[in-house]
Amino acid sequence: MNRIFVLTVLILIAAGEKVCSQTQTNAPAQPPKPAAPRWVPEMTEYYTPAVPVVVPGKASPTAIITPPSDAISLFNGKDLSNWAGKGWDVKDGELIVKKRAGDISTVQTFNDFQLHLEWLVPSNITGTGQQRGNSGVFLQGIYEVQILDDYNDINTTYVNGQTGSIYKQTAPLKNATNAPGQWNAYDIIYTAPRFKEDSTVFSPAYVTVILNGVLLQNHTQIRGNTPYIGLPRYRAHGKGPIRLQDHGDPSEPVHFRNIWIREL
Amino acid sequence: MNRIFVLTVLILIAAGEKVCSQTQTNAPAQPPKPAAPRWVPEMTEYYTPAVPVVVPGKASPTAIITPPSDAISLFNGKDLSNWAGKGWDVKDGELIVKKRAGDISTVQTFNDFQLHLEWLVPSNITGTGQQRGNSGVFLQGIYEVQILDDYNDINTTYVNGQTGSIYKQTAPLKNATNAPGQWNAYDIIYTAPRFKEDSTVFSPAYVTVILNGVLLQNHTQIRGNTPYIGLPRYRAHGKGPIRLQDHGDPSEPVHFRNIWIREL
Amino acid sequence: MNRIFVLTVLILIAAGEKVCSQTQTNAPAQPPKPAAPRWVPEMTEYYTPAVPVVVPGKASPTAIITPPSDAISLFNGKDLSNWAGKGWDVKDGELIVKKRAGDISTVQTFNDFQLHLEWLVPSNITGTGQQRGNSGVFLQGIYEVQILDDYNDINTTYVNGQTGSIYKQTAPLKNATNAPGQWNAYDIIYTAPRFKEDSTVFSPAYVTVILNGVLLQNHTQIRGNTPYIGLPRYRAHGKGPIRLQDHGDPSEPVHFRNIWIREL
Amino acid sequence: MNRIFVLTVLILIAAGEKVCSQTQTNAPAQPPKPAAPRWVPEMTEYYTPAVPVVVPGKASPTAIITPPSDAISLFNGKDLSNWAGKGWDVKDGELIVKKRAGDISTVQTFNDFQLHLEWLVPSNITGTGQQRGNSGVFLQGIYEVQILDDYNDINTTYVNGQTGSIYKQTAPLKNATNAPGQWNAYDIIYTAPRFKEDSTVFSPAYVTVILNGVLLQNHTQIRGNTPYIGLPRYRAHGKGPIRLQDHGDPSEPVHFRNIWIREL
């Protein structure tokens, strides 16, 4: 066999194709053009090492903490006036994902910041894996910190898709998610990437994520965007919004409240 | 002699000077040998840029949050059984500095960690500058994160000596100290320095400090120990304790509670 | 079977596929079970942005620079006495890859280091892409800095497979490879990764690569090992050797000389 | 003694003042105003650990290496046409410090770069310590990499003032200086600091210094400018020139040649 044929075979095989030799009866009459590699989502999903469960500390149920005096409130509890995107529900001071309405993003954009955000998966949540209480916080609209109901490991998924993961990149240090029906608090410290004049990366983004008082990401380097399929890549950009995800599952929608940000 | 005078004499002697007494009559007969450089504390004290005041968010007074399930409780609310050093008072579940009793350190030692610790300056605090509600948390027993009553800038001092400073190194990003009589909560994420086999620094320590929910230090590089006089230096070491400072001022002592740590 | 075919079969088997022979006549009667994701090499091969060609400076042909006094000479010009592995040729003070003899590694192992190493692709080199003057320097036996005849872009390949790439990770900043028949000099500054007690990464490896006086890698973070197929991963390790690659192509073998290292 | 008096005494003593007690006959009639701390140069000069001597490798004397094709030549061997500042001598293709003429800086300014520069201390050099063959390369006009005749430790000085030190900050890893009358070659890889919009430091500068093929600085963090007296500080800036120092000593002047730079 010559080299090109071998390469072709490799690619086809890899692409999930059945391939046989030159004498195969139904072989293509003409040499196939080299197939582009086909990525599948599973290629960037890891299952080990497992993320230990930690039961976070409990505050009294009424212990909502007000924002610091220099924080920018991103949700006023009444409407979507600070957000681009529409259709999401606002009810009882909560912001609720509207399925198939698409993601929403803050009108204001940011560079480095400290973000506080609380989220809740309804107690009647259904579904499994990534289809159970899935949403996410996209830092600068690009880099996703995952939200999922993975409470107490009842719902299993790939570790770099659990709550607090840099999606498809880095698993959280712990699983500190509260049970459905209870609020979870994210405290996120984010350093934006910097780019050189030629648009190459000068310094990547870094993020520290605390969930319910438990450290999940410790100044973790973000390696690029967080696609479902394929590898992370950086593209030069400036300031960006906070984007919240509508994952589009049939299961119950995620709720948000008490969202504020401090520019650093 | 009282303690301060003794300290003075020691410093003067260390500085190579003859100390005058009230009865001194004669100057030295011979020219002094070239003096070694004499550091004074002010050389490492900065006053600009000023640290902006931020009023932290408020929780309900009863909102003590319990530790996560994997945390090590460092203070049991009853006695000093986890601490080396003695004399500090334990009362009403609080750990109270005992003036002139010296610092206390945890028996257990740590490398990288997440530390939670609450502290309070009594409402009847007196004194000014560094003599007002001064204590500190020494990470690994060596690197001080300052505690001081600098509430609302009523009490002024050098910025790299304010609450949340890496003492004499890096000022905090903000002044988010609560008023005397109110509790303050430190959440500290610490990465220990690493040393090479020849005892030189491989990587310095880093620390993130959150006070009352406001970021004061953002993965700040620690440049060495935190002396009162002179420059920071590293000396190779292994695990170390959490040390709390008895600053020895006549003013009211600092109180601590709810101290827990998670090894990273 | 020739070698490439064998390789193909191995990959196909590894991919869980039935490999067709020339005499196969029947397709499987039953639907295959869902396939695990199958990686192909091309998934980690990038072609943009292109690496600019730089003509390196020229020294007089006799300008071999002797090692610094504290360097460890890794090749004595006479035999393989400092190396594990065998069969490679030593001739005229040069170390010459022996095809199919396998890689060779230094007996001595290292942590952080500065490495100098000169290599030459014979002037009668043939082949294309990765089959032309391919060898490599594996830092600590694990992390490959690529060697390839990519002189003046006559031979094209993926950019993160060019000379000076961290193989399948990071393309070099420039293409500064000398023409076949001329020596190239690598100066490599390497900081080994550090691991925590639980075998996770404390700090990744970093490498600076200078080829013929031109900077190709500037304190580049190494993201893990450098496999042909799949993504880089770290596994905890201690000191490691310098490993030189026998790539096994039919083309003319790469020559080495003047190999020395300084521990940092 | 009361506290404030003690503090005053401390400051005065530290400031080199003779101080006696309240009953001293010639005491100032009025309380002295607090003296500003007086820095002396020795406060930032270290003598340990010693820097080991390494004899660098030798090339043939004629082995001047020409610049890479993408390098910017900073000295044409004929005149000062690329430099701001004047009076320095140009002779035999060499650029020679003119005592008391002041420093000279390139007209062109740079951000990140790779710099090559050769320098020579005349063989009839005289003087000791910092007054012997002293010059320096100021990166971006601000951060000095020291040049000094410290060949073979015959001339001793503080280690963070030796050749290859980040002046008054970080000592070189080794002493690899050639003897007076021989050329030395610096290869310097420099990453400029970045500043935030509010002029605070986003990322400090880093430098790798190779002298005569021996690594002296390994991606060393630069902590600010490099003053003779006092501590390093950063002030926000943009691109800057390469500046060469006229140290102004009576001893023989330093020579330069073969100066080129590649922007990164």
Side-chain angles (χ1 to χ4, degrees), chain C residues 81-147:
Chain C
S81 56
N82 294 326
W83 299 81
K86 54 191 174 182
W88 286 33
D89 292 319
V90 177
K91 191 176 171 188
D92 298 336
E94 300 173 14
L95 177 59
I96 307 167
V97 174
K98 184 70 170 187
K99 295 292 172 183
R100 321 273 160 118
D103 299 351
I104 63 171
S105 297
T106 57
V107 173
Q108 195 168 345
T109 57
F110 306 96
N111 217 17
D112 311 323
F113 57 76
Q114 176 186 2
L115 173 69
H116 179 90
L117 175 151
E118 300 174 18
W119 55 273
L120 171 149
V121 171
S123 56
N124 60 341
I125 190 70
T126 57
T128 59
Q130 293 286 315
Q131 277 72 44
R132 183 180 173 96
N134 191 327
S135 184
V137 184
F138 287 80
L139 311 177
Q140 295 197 303
I142 298 169
Y143 313 102
E144 185 183 13
V145 177
Q146 173 73 314
I147 288 175

Side-chain angles (χ1 to χ4, degrees), chain A residues 118-126 132-135 147-151 163 177-184 251-256:
Chain A
E118 300 173 19
W119 55 272
L120 170 149
V121 171
S123 56
N124 60 341
I125 189 71
T126 56
R132 183 181 173 94
N134 191 329
S135 184
I147 287 175
L148 190 78
D149 175 33
D150 57 5
Y151 168 64
T163 282
T177 309
N178 279 326
Q182 297 183 8
W183 286 96
N184 296 277
S251 69
E252 287 296 306
V254 173
H255 296 222
F256 294 92

Side-chain angles (χ1 to χ4, degrees), chain A residues 1 3 6-7 10-11 13-14 16 18-21 23 37-40 42-43 46 221 231 233, chain C residues 2 4-5 8 11-12 17 20-22 24 27-28 37-40 42-43 46 131 221 223 231 233:
Chain A
M1 293 178 178
R3 217 175 124 256
V6 169
L7 189 59
L10 282 175
I11 294 172
I13 289 290
K18 183 176 180 301
V19 185
C20 286
S21 72
T23 58
R38 268 178 280 174
W39 284 84
V40 291
E42 292 80 5
M43 284 173 175
Y46 300 112
Q221 185 182 305
L231 294 179
R233 293 235 181 158
Chain C
N2 72 13
I4 292 174
F5 180 75
T8 308
I11 292 172
L12 297 184
E17 287 298 314
C20 303
S21 79
Q22 301 187 199
Q24 182 185 9
R38 274 164 297 178
W39 285 83
V40 290
E42 292 78 6
M43 285 173 174
Y46 301 111
Q131 277 72 44
Q221 183 181 306
R223 298 201 303 270
L231 293 179
R233 291 233 182 160

Side-chain angles (χ1 to χ4, degrees), chain A residues 85-124:
Chain A
K86 53 189 174 182
W88 287 33
D89 293 318
V90 177
K91 192 176 170 189
D92 298 336
E94 300 173 12
L95 176 60
I96 306 167
V97 174
K98 184 72 169 186
K99 295 293 170 182
R100 319 277 160 133
D103 298 352
I104 62 171
S105 297
T106 56
V107 173
Q108 194 168 346
T109 57
F110 306 95
N111 216 17
D112 311 324
F113 57 77
Q114 175 185 0
L115 172 69
H116 179 90
L117 175 151
E118 300 173 19
W119 55 272
L120 170 149
V121 171
S123 56
N124 60 341

